[in-house]
Amino acid sequence: MGMFGYMTDTETVEPLVTVDVESEGHDIESLLFHFLDDWLYKFCADLFFIPREVKVLHIDRINFKIRSIGWGEEFSLEKHPQGTEVKAITYSAMQIHDKEKADIFAIIDI
């Protein structure tokens, strides 16, 4: 949701449409990359979909697959304030911590 917060004020988004996203990787870092990139695709190219909320439904840490769902609507400049364009997800300095408290760090290209 942090990525979408750069794009617009997500509080202005109504949960009118449900979108499912399934992502795969070859390790945990590539899974995170593809998860973020697949959601970015839904915004930029596929549906112009902006979620108000995204929930991870299942993570397969053995086969590196993730299933998620988002609730939102089509992005509209008339309704949603324009924020910063997110161009891409990067691997640069990516960090995943899941020992005590799950925490991720990812850099996005704006």
Side-chain angles (χ1 to χ4, degrees):
M1 287 310 303
M3 175 177 69
F4 291 111
Y6 282 109
M7 299 175 186
T8 193
D9 176 5
T10 56
E11 294 295 316
T12 65
V13 177
E14 293 183 65
L16 302 175
V17 178
T18 302
V19 172
D20 295 308
V21 172
E22 294 187 21
S23 305
E24 296 183 28
H26 61 272
D27 59 19
I28 198 72
E29 288 82 12
S30 69
L31 179 59
L32 174 58
F33 173 88
H34 288 291
F35 170 74
L36 293 171
D37 193 53
D38 290 344
W39 275 107
L40 181 59
Y41 180 79
K42 294 295 181 193
F43 178 81
C44 295
D46 190 14
L47 304 170
F48 304 107
F49 178 79
I50 186 80
R52 181 179 180 99
E53 180 182 359
V54 173
K55 181 177 182 179
V56 173
L57 300 174
H58 180 72
I59 299 175
D60 180 341
R61 293 174 187 251
I62 296 170
N63 297 305
F64 305 109
K65 297 181 182 184
I66 190 168
R67 192 165 61 92
S68 57
I69 189 169
W71 296 270
E73 61 185 323
E74 184 177 345
F75 181 80
S76 167
L77 285 174
E78 296 171 359
K79 182 175 182 181
H80 308 106
Q82 185 174 9
T84 303
E85 177 186 1
V86 174
K87 296 181 194 174
I89 310 304
T90 70
Y91 276 102
S92 177
M94 184 181 288
Q95 298 175 28
I96 300 172
H97 305 278
D98 62 353
K99 297 292 182 200
E100 295 175 19
K101 176 186 166 200
D103 193 27
I104 65 167
F105 178 81
I107 295 176
I108 55 176
D109 185 9
I110 54 174

